[in-house]
Amino acid sequence: MAAPSLLNWRRVSSFTGPVPRARHGHRAVAIRELMIIFGGGNEGIADELHVYNTVTNQWFLPAVRGDIPPGCAAHGFVCDGTRILVFGGMVEYGRYSNELYELQASRWLWKKVKPHPPSSGLPPCPRLGHSFSLYGNKCYLFGGLANESEDSNNNVPRYLNDFYELELQHGSGVVGWSIPVTKGVVPSPRESHTAVIYCKKDSGAPKMYVFGGMCGARLDDLWQLDLETMSWSKPETKGTVPLPRSLHTASVIGNKMYIFGGWVPHKGENIETSPHDCEWRCTSSFSYLNLDTAEWTTLVSDSQEDKKNSRPRPRAGHCAVAIGTRLYFWSGRDGYKKALNSQVCCKDLWYLDTEKPPAPSQVQLIKATTNSFHVKWDEVPTVEGYLLQLNTDLPYQAASSDSSAALNMPGSRMDPHRQGGNSILPNSINDTVNSAKVEHTAMKGTAMKNKPDFKATDTNAILYSSLASNASNHNSCMTDILRKSEGPHTSANVGVLSSCLDLRTVTPETSVSSTVSSAQTMVTQQTIKTESSSTNGAVVKDETSLTTFSTKSEVDETYALPATKISRVEMHAVPMPFAKESPSNPVATVKAGERQWCDVGIFKNNTALVSQFYLLPKGKQNISKVGNADVPDYSLLKKQDLVPGTGYRFRVAAINGCGIGPFSKISEFKTCIPGFPGAPSAVRISKNVEGIHLSWEPPTSPSGNILEYSAYLAIRTAQIQDNPSQLVFMRIYCGLKTSCIVTAGQLANAHIDYTSRPAIVFRISAKNEKGYGPATQVRWLQGNNKKAPLN
């Protein structure tokens, strides 16, 4: 963790949408990039549900429906996947609740739930200021404040230290309350404390940690409950324990519990001699407890004054949410004005990166041309940008002309929470590509040379594909072999393709379409198809390098609000499988580590259009930094263009307020040789009575007249059983039409690829006067069973 003086707090500005009114006693949870806030009070108790999108910097009020709960404050609020549970809290002055509500955030549907009471004992009484913590399929309720008086105007407080367990049903609903029998000394009664649950990665049982709270006086004790043995204990800690406090927040990131803010004793007061009589004030102190070593570390002490407004001002009753390794803080009260008999509430939103971001995924190829790459990588949550670098074995020469990519003004800083979603980090190339949220992966491949043309009647031709054995062997060529095929295939033209298949995926459901909206990743289901439009479907880039390398990737379920379907579409351009000519530009045997890495730029989004790179001063290849370190002035650096038929290695690192994280694994791509056609695009698959209908669009860059298309299907063979990475393809179509029927008989022989999700693999390529260009490959998802397709 950074030293206290290096904490890089950021205040979020320039909101869009309806900003909630300032409050305290509210609660917040995170669902992916969304911070969801409910309740709290300030001149009345709030009953709205507010959502803040940390990526778009937008507040919105979802249209909730169902059994909408009354507004409450100091309630329990936990998130289990995409459902949220609310328990208890103050619904009006002196009147507390013990009701339980469930919100299905995918539909914004509220439902009041009624758990079964404990088999022995009473259910939890109405309360506020309790802790409500989730682990697995159970919530754990501890402590709080009850009102002993039946008259809400006559408040008789009673501090609680009871402990309940609430069992949840999977997905929706609850089973009931139980009262676990615990061992050891129970913590003293309290309210406005915090409780978090943490389990070591490799060993140990989950443990609940209770810190601080209020019981007539503020507390600074730490308690631990082993959730397997139900044993209470007080762990011995090292370091400086934070001051006694209540109405603070506790958030777990990694193995650390971060404590921020709250009510603490006034400076100079001796709380040991007069704990009930001393004055209290808000604090902005910030500490963490290493839950593995039980050591406290002070990041911002209570005595540190902030004269530059560079961090959140003192507050209590605020909310804190951890998204990735970033902590967000919103609102809370920062004092009490006796003369006005009112709270003073904050309305500001801050965040803090607690550590450097992890390494992104390998850079993936979307499209390659003769002198440019369109690349992407998986998003890393809560980062401010990405540093993309490349190197090549060619000698570096400065470009003679300026790049068409625009640069920001030197020294400028990108704030991901400012208006304008395409702002760029310091001195970087603008990322002008607008792509839908689908995965694009391109793999290392090689070109076939001297490949005899297939005739239209060669419907049983088989192509073997195996993993490349040497990542640096860019120009290894395919060798043609003729052999007798087994089973119904009496003869075939066979080529050995040294390539990792690059895939996209479509679902197998009958009459299902997968179209993706770049705005909210919306998926509708009508016909099975993939789209090449960046606004109406998966972005299919139709040219790729003759040699590429990366890892396989598939679309996982994407949670987007309002409710969305899941994208099952994944299509990629892959290396040219049937070209008659192979690249004539052999790559030197210089190892990647011996070449200087050059900056392509710093990008806000996870895509980049690369046509040039910057030549950094010799010996200073890693000087690009953000925040607390220097950033090179790209306007003073020389640029070099990409050249055709050349291999380039890429790596990327994420950037946040703590600096630049580790680089990804290296990917390798090659620019195209002029003259070959691009890959077909917009592949669609739909079921019909004969089998399936496979269709596609011509290449956007045919480089002449298209003479024919070939479509291939991966089939089952003994070779695949022995080596699953070696796919065997049978040609199922050759002709001028941009569609074909794949019969049920052909599909019965299809290989189900289990490298990620079960899928049938197709490949389609186009041929012009110069030969076959790169192929587009499609993975048609088959669900989790091993039945034959179309069943």
Side-chain angles (χ1 to χ4, degrees), residues 41-114:
N42 182 25
E43 300 179 357
I45 294 178
D47 59 0
E48 311 96 356
L49 189 78
H50 290 267
V51 180
Y52 172 68
N53 188 314
T54 60
V55 174
T56 63
N57 191 30
Q58 181 179 21
W59 288 97
F60 65 93
L61 281 164
V64 296
R65 54 196 176 91
D67 305 324
I68 300 174
C72 56
H75 46 287
F77 201 56
V78 296
C79 181
D80 174 29
T82 58
R83 71 167 163 177
I84 297 171
L85 294 170
V86 180
F87 174 76
M90 182 172 69
V91 293
E92 62 182 47
Y93 179 78
R95 188 166 72 87
Y96 309 151
S97 168
N98 64 347
E99 293 179 338
L100 181 67
Y101 289 86
E102 176 187 274
L103 173 69
Q104 291 290 343
S106 60
R107 294 174 288 162
W108 299 121
L109 178 65
W110 282 106
K111 181 174 70 174
K112 186 176 181 179
V113 292
K114 296 182 179 180

Side-chain angles (χ1 to χ4, degrees), residues 222 234-238 293-295:
L222 177 72
K234 286 190 71 174
E236 292 192 8
T237 61
K238 297 172 284 187
T293 63
E295 182 173 5

Side-chain angles (χ1 to χ4, degrees), residues 217-298:
R218 269 75 183 178
L219 305 169
D220 65 352
D221 51 349
L222 177 72
W223 293 85
Q224 174 184 286
L225 175 65
D226 188 308
L227 294 178
E228 284 191 358
T229 64
M230 287 296 166
S231 300
W232 285 103
S233 61
K234 286 190 71 174
E236 292 192 8
T237 61
K238 297 172 284 187
T240 303
V241 178
L243 288 174
R245 66 191 61 212
S246 63
L247 294 171
H248 54 287
T249 55
S251 308
V252 175
I253 297 179
N255 65 345
K256 299 178 179 66
M257 177 178 73
Y258 291 90
I259 302 292
F260 176 75
W263 285 104
V264 296
H266 196 278
K267 293 178 182 178
E269 294 286 349
N270 186 345
I271 62 171
E272 295 181 358
T273 58
S274 57
H276 293 274
D277 299 324
C278 67
E279 294 185 21
W280 303 88
R281 61 182 177 82
C282 292
T283 182
S284 60
S285 58
F286 187 44
S287 303
Y288 72 78
L289 174 69
N290 186 312
L291 296 171
D292 291 335
T293 63
E295 182 173 5
W296 286 103
T297 299
T298 301

Side-chain angles (χ1 to χ4, degrees), residues 407-457:
L407 292 177
N408 272 12
M409 292 299 293
S412 64
R413 176 177 294 278
M414 188 280 297
D415 183 350
H417 296 281
R418 295 184 188 276
Q419 286 178 318
N422 292 323
S423 54
I424 303 299
L425 283 174
N427 311 306
S428 66
I429 300 175
N430 279 327
D431 178 8
T432 59
V433 179
N434 177 23
S435 67
K437 283 189 176 180
V438 293
E439 300 296 333
H440 306 276
T441 309
M443 306 311 231
K444 178 176 176 63
T446 53
M448 176 187 290
K449 68 175 182 178
N450 300 326
K451 179 73 186 80
D453 287 343
F454 284 130
K455 294 182 173 61
T457 56

Side-chain angles (χ1 to χ4, degrees), residues 13-27:
S13 58
S14 302
F15 301 114
T16 60
V19 180
R21 61 186 169 98
R23 64 192 66 191
H24 61 95
H26 53 291
R27 299 290 187 260

Side-chain angles (χ1 to χ4, degrees), residues 49 52 80 228 242 259 372 460 498 628 635 693 703 719 748 764:
L49 189 78
Y52 172 68
D80 174 29
E228 284 191 358
I259 302 292
S372 71
N460 291 326
S498 178
N628 299 317
S635 66
H693 182 259
S703 300
Q719 288 89 339
I764 306 161

